């Protein structure tokens, strides 16, 4: 009987593969049937990456995928297996330190995720079993359980709404934790279960639910419930998003609800939305890898040269086997090739410290700790929302200083998304008032002013349409979180749209029959109502582009004039239309809507078809104009970004006229900017639109590219045109460009279009779908040179472009928090982008670039004397430094000063960076990590390494350095070289420091003091675990010689002399050009700016001379 009943209910529709069947309350449909437990996932949420058992192997595997870690692991194994000149500890200890620190950091972060998961999974919930409430942990909920949720509680899983304490079967929820929207959303219980308001009644329900398999779209759900009653035919009801209560949402203004679990655990929509975020890599990481390859080649070259020269040296029998060191029988019988390979590996081990493995952990710590400065910035704190900036990922801090293209949304990003009613027109007659929606309250500033007057019946019809065609709900006054407005201090308006309260003025009693919900494709919404006299009316409101084609054409012109004028003034416009329905027409529409709602397959398409047929042959009543004001300082911010060499593109879904007006207001377009349009109006709707598009593209291409003479001097980040151009394109034309037919002669549309865009100072893309926004960003991101892109937006429709760009920034706006949660950084207002990029971005980039170059420099200084030493010890692989010094050089002696520098350095005052945007261009195009500055640092390291070694070598030409005639040994030689090395590289950093704090002083002078203390301590004690006590009393004995003291001081001065000379010459040059004092660092990779454009030359910018900076 059940099978026959279901066949009748689902006639003509095959069972869909991607569906699931849920038995409500785990109660079989027929008492004679045995209940078979359903196999669905449990309700545990798992956001953690590791478990206690897999942490060690999984974390080690991930860490050794990094090339430097894997390289040092190989070196360590070689030291263990092969008889190498240095102990395995020298490579193993630094590697162990790096692996341990990274593992602790990642383990701690994962522990926090575990703790957050347990808070959710162990929370208490109430489940109805055998007509009683049973308290369980959230993780024990199963699909099919009936769950009770009370007011202000969050839903523990995705539930189908069955019944509530409200008589009408409705409840209100906020989805702040899902999409950030704090306004109320109304959900509806299944019509036939609304009366089941007690535990006993709901437990008696016998029903099954068929629905789609889990998918991440928060706003889509397709299903149906089949209710079984004794001696009656089963009843089937459609289920949609309005019946689904999502995990993470909060119940509001409703005492309790009952719902049945359909998706649990990692199958809930919330869990599916937090998976699969792509990993972004910064340009600095790519530069590090390139430099690493260069130093790896240097290492291989050194090992090859030493191995070759060793066997050249040993070609002399006396050198190969001297009388005091004869070979054993085993050594003589070893294959020469094998001996050469072993020697090569030994030299690799000896020189391996040229690869700075500790740099990776220092970079990670710098990024992690440095990100707190953004969160702590008080100037980026917003008093209105009581929140500051948020850093979701610290891996891209330095990328903020390299941005070339900024893609921004308009509504809620450049504008406030706070609507103020400006005027309306009815049958072409203008009515003006001042009604605003401020902080959720409806305010009126005086009587309505009208210019001419429409018929009273049309005025009433227009106002009724606004009163009825909306999603505002009226509730008794209570404490609420949503957008609200008071009516006679007794009722509360609750709306899901921020501009509807500004339009709703009152309500008359009508019977609501159907709501044809708004969606971004239709760009309109409608309601069907029955008046008190029985008349059936359809009211529709939406964008003019979606309303005008569906009304009588002769009614359009008188309203279109007002709509176009309002759009030119920058107002958001809505058109209002109506249609009177006969009872027969309504019955047909009602039947078609119910059939479409019952469909499990292609429900959206079937509903859209019914909506399309219903919203036809309407009559236009009028239009409204609502202003969305510009955010504070948005115009100044865009000007600053332009001055910093960035190109700003606005990507919006608004109509062209409104967006263009906003672009003029925020100074994206100047009055002198010549606008080029690629819109549907310019292209036309004829069959020749592809040909017309091709003509426009070629015309603009000729104007911007072919007719402009090529520029000399290698100008970067400049538009090189005396006339500024702006481009406007709409979504339909963009689709034509990106999806042009392959067989047409215009298949190169995309390349021509891209060339035009890149030559324009500003681009406006209007009528953009979310996917098209991402396509635009991807197109620019993949151009030659791979420019760094940044996307900023505030709504869910901006998420796609935020994820696509190199850097994604979310605005904590009124359209929810989905954008800020999916972004890399979140800020309260658009104006905060200025300081984020011009100050924080600039400083982060300079700091980390200096860190990377300094690490390679100090390791080259460290290893070059070791390489030179082989020429004086017969290439015997004798180490120059003691094993303790080899191990602790990068870990203890030189690590903290550069970490402090990379966190605290301000080579230019923050206020100066913010007030003069052109300083941003000085570090553009990854300037400080190009090959030229890299070679400068490399040659500097090579020069200092030569000074260290040969300076001490010439000191040792005197056979006796002590009064008693004793001679210093090879460990003293190495220790003197190492002492000069540590002091020189540390003082080099002190010379580079422009912003001194107590912490800089502490780590720089403290590191030098620690080295001296450690050397005395290490050589002053006989350590029982050491087989050879070769450093015993070496350091203390070394310092008894006056010659040694003089040599150390002299060599440090000679090594730093080029740097000191450059600073002195720079100061002399600056004093000749100005009278006021100033101080600015000599950064060799800074680029000179001429006439507002950056030239790729290596001098310090003259522009910076205007800005004094005191040393603190």
């Amino acid at each position: 009987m059940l099978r026959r009943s279901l066949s009748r209910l689902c006639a003509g529709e095959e069972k869909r593969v991607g569906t699931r069947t849920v038995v409500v309350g785990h109660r079989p449909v027929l008492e004679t049937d045995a209940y078979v437990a359903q196999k669905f996932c449990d309700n545990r949420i798992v956001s953690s990456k590791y478990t206690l058992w897999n942490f060690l192997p999984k974390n080690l595997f991930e860490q050794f995928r990094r090339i430097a870690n894997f390289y040092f692991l190989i070196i360590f194994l070689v030291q263990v297996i092969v008889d190498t000149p240095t102990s395995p500890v020298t490579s193993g200890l630094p590697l162990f330190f790096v692996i341990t620190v990274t593992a602790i950091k990642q383990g701690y972060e994962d522990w926090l995720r575990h703790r957050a998961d347990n808070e959710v999974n162990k929370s208490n919930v109430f489940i109805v079993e055998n007509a009683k409430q049973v308290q369980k942990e959230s993780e024990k909920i199963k699909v099919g359980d009936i769950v009770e949720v009370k007011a202000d509680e969050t839903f523990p899983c995705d539930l189908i709404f069955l019944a509530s304490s409200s008589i009408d079967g409705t409840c209100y929820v906020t989805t702040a934790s899902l999409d950030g929207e704090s306004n109320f959303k109304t959900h509806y219980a299944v019509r036939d279960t609304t009366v089941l308001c007690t535990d006993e009644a709901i437990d008696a329900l016998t029903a099954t639910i068929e629905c789609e398999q889990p998918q991440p779209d928060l706003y889509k759900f397709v299903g149906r419930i089949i209710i079984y009653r004794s001696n009656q035919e089963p009843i089937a009801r459609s289920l949609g998003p309005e019946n689904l209560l999502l995990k993470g949402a909060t119940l509001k203004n409703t005492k309790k609800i009952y719902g049945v679990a359909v998706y649990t655990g990692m199958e809930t929509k919330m869990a599916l939305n937090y998976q699969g975020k792509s990993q972004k890599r910064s340009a600095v990481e790519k530069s590090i890898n390139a430099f690493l390859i260069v130093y790896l080649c240097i290492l291989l070259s050194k090992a090859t040269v030493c191995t070759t020269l060793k066997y050249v040296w040993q070609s002399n029998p006396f050198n190969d086997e001297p009388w005091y060191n004869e070979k054993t029988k085993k050594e003589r019988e070893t294959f020469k090739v094998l001996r050469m390979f072993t020697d090569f590996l030994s030299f690799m081990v000896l020189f391996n410290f040229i690869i700075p493995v500790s740099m990776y952990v220092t970079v990670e710590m710098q990024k992690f700790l440095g990100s707190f400065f953004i969160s702590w910035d008080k100037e980026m704190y917003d008093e209105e929302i009581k929140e500051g900036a948020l850093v979701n990922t610290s891996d891209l801090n330095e990328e903020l200083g390299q941005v070339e293209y900024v893609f921004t949304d308009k509504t809620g990003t450049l504008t406030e998304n706070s609507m103020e009613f400006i005027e309306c027109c009815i049958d072409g007659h203008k009515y003006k008032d001042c009604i605003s929606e401020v902080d959720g309250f409806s305010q009126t500033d005086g009587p309505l002013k009208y210019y001419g007057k429409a018929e009273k019946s049309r005025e009433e019809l227009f106002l009724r349409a606004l009163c009825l065609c909306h999603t505002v709900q009226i509730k008794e006054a209570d404490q609420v979180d949503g957008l609200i407005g008071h009516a006679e201090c007794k009722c509360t308006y609750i709306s899901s749209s921020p501009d509807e309260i500004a339009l709703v003025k009152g309500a008359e009693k009508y019977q609501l029959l159907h709501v044809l919900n708004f969606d971004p494709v239709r760009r309109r919404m409608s309601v069907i109502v029955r008046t008190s006299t029985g008349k059936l009316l359809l009211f529709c409101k939406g964008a003019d582009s979606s309303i005008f084609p569906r009304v009588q054409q002769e009614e359009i012109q008188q309203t279109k004039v007002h709509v176009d004028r309002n759009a030119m003034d920058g107002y958001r416009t809505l058109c209002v239309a109506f249609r009177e329905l006969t009872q027969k027409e309504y019955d047909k529409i009602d039947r078609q809507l119910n059939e479409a709602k019952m469909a499990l397959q292609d429900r959206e398409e079937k509903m859209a078809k019914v909506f399309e047929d219903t919203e036809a042959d309407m009559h236009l009543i009028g239009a409204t104009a609502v202003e969305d004001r510009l955010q504070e300082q948005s115009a100044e911010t865009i000007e600053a970004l332009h001055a910093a060499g960035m190109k700003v593109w606005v990507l919006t879904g608004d109509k062209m006229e409104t967006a263009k007006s906003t672009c003029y207001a925020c100074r994206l377009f100047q009055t002198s900017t010549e606008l080029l349009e690629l819109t549907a109006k310019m292209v036309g709707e004829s069959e020749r639109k592809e040909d017309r598009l091709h003509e426009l593209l070629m015309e603009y291409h000729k104007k911007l590219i072919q007719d402009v003479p090529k520029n000399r001097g290698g100008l970067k980040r400049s538009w090189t045109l005396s006339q500024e151009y702006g481009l406007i394109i709409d979504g339909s034309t963009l689709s034509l460009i990106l999806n042009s037919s392959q067989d047409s002669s215009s298949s190169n549309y995309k390349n021509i279009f891209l060339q035009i865009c890149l030559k324009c100072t500003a681009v406006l893309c209007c009528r953009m779908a979310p996917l098209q926004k991402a396509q635009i960003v991807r197109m620019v991101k993949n151009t030659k040179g791979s420019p760094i892109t940044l996307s900023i937006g505030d709504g869910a429709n901006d998420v796609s472009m935020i994820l696509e760009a190199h850097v994604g920034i979310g605005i904590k706006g009124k359209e929810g928090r989905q954008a800020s949660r999916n972004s890399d950084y979140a800020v309260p207002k658009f104006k905060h982008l200025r300081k984020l990029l011009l100050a924080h971005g600039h400083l982060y980039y300079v700091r980390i670039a200096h860190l990377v170059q300094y690490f390679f420099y100090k390791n080259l200084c460290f290893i070059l004397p070791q390489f030179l030493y082989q020429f004086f010890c017969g290439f015997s692989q004798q180490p120059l430094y003691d094993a303790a010094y080899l191990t602790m050089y990068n870990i203890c002696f030189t690590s903290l000063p550069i970490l402090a520098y990379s966190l605290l350095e301000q080579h230019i005052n923050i206020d100066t960076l913010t007030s003069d945007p052109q300083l941003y261009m000085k570090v553009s195009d990854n300037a400080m990590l190009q090959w030229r500055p890299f070679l400068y640092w490399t040659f500097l390291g090579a020069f200092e390494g030569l000074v260290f070694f040969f300076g001490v070598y010439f000191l040792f030409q005197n056979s006796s350095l002590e009064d008693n005639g004793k001679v210093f040994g090879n460990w003293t030689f190495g220790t003197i070289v190492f002492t000069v090395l540590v002091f020189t590289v540390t003082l080099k950093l002190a010379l580079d420091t422009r912003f001194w704090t107590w912490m800089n002083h502490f780590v720089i002078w403290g590191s030098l003091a620690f080295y001296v203390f450690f050397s005395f301590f290490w050589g002053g004690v006989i350590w029982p675990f050491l087989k050879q006590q070769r450093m015993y009393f070496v350091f203390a004995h070394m310092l008894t010689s006056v010659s040694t003291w003089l040599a150390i001081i002299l060599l440090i001065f000679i090594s730093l002399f080029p740097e000191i000379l450059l600073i002195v010459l720079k100061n002399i040059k600056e004093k000749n050009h100005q009278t006021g004092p100033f101080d600015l660092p000599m950064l060799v990779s800074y680029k000179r700016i001429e006439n507002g454009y950056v030239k790729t030359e290596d001098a310090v910018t003259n522009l910076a001379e205007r800005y004094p900076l005191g040393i603190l």
Side-chain angles (χ1 to χ4, degrees), residues 117-125 136-140:
D117 290 345
N118 285 333
E119 285 181 8
V120 175
N121 295 333
K122 300 298 182 183
S123 60
N124 293 325
V125 295
K136 289 187 177 182
E137 292 179 344
S138 175
E139 64 183 4
K140 294 182 179 177

Side-chain angles (χ1 to χ4, degrees), residues 285-384:
E285 275 190 68
K286 297 171 187 175
S287 296
I288 290 174
N289 290 337
F291 298 161
L292 204 63
I293 291 172
V294 171
Y295 270 68
L296 194 58
C297 292
I298 294 174
L299 171 63
L300 291 171
S301 302
K302 285 183 176 181
T304 304
V305 167
C306 286
T307 305
T308 305
L309 292 178
K310 176 176 183 175
Y311 282 89
V312 171
W313 165 266
Q314 290 181 352
S315 61
N316 184 335
F318 177 78
N319 294 333
D320 184 31
E321 193 173 356
W323 60 270
Y324 57 83
N325 190 20
E326 294 183 357
K327 292 182 179 179
T328 62
K329 183 180 179 182
K330 184 180 179 181
E331 287 175 335
R332 289 195 182 97
E333 292 175 352
T334 305
F335 287 111
K336 190 170 184 179
V337 175
L338 181 60
R339 277 191 288 128
M340 291 179 71
F341 180 68
T342 305
D343 285 331
F344 177 79
L345 291 179
S346 297
F347 281 117
M348 286 280 289
V349 168
L350 191 63
F351 303 141
N352 79 85
F353 287 94
I354 198 172
I355 306 295
V357 65
S358 59
M359 178 180 67
Y360 283 96
V361 72
T362 308
V363 166
E364 279 198 17
M365 291 173 67
Q366 189 268 350
K367 289 183 175 184
F368 175 70
L369 297 174
S371 63
F372 287 105
F373 290 111
I374 294 177
S375 304
W376 293 338
D377 194 330
K378 292 182 179 179
E379 291 183 15
M380 297 172 71
Y381 182 83
D382 188 71
E383 290 291 343
E384 185 181 344

Side-chain angles (χ1 to χ4, degrees), residues 28 32-33 65 84 165 314 332 385 500 551 560 605 620 724 739 764-765 779 804-805 841 885 944 996:
T32 56
D33 292 349
R65 288 170 64 185
T84 56
S165 56
Q314 290 181 352
R332 289 195 182 97
I385 62 173
E500 285 185 335
V551 299
K560 189 175 186 299
E605 290 80 357
L620 188 62
E724 288 190 357
N739 306 315
L764 167 62
C765 303
M779 181 181 70
E804 184 63 44
Y885 289 156
E944 293 182 3
W996 285 90

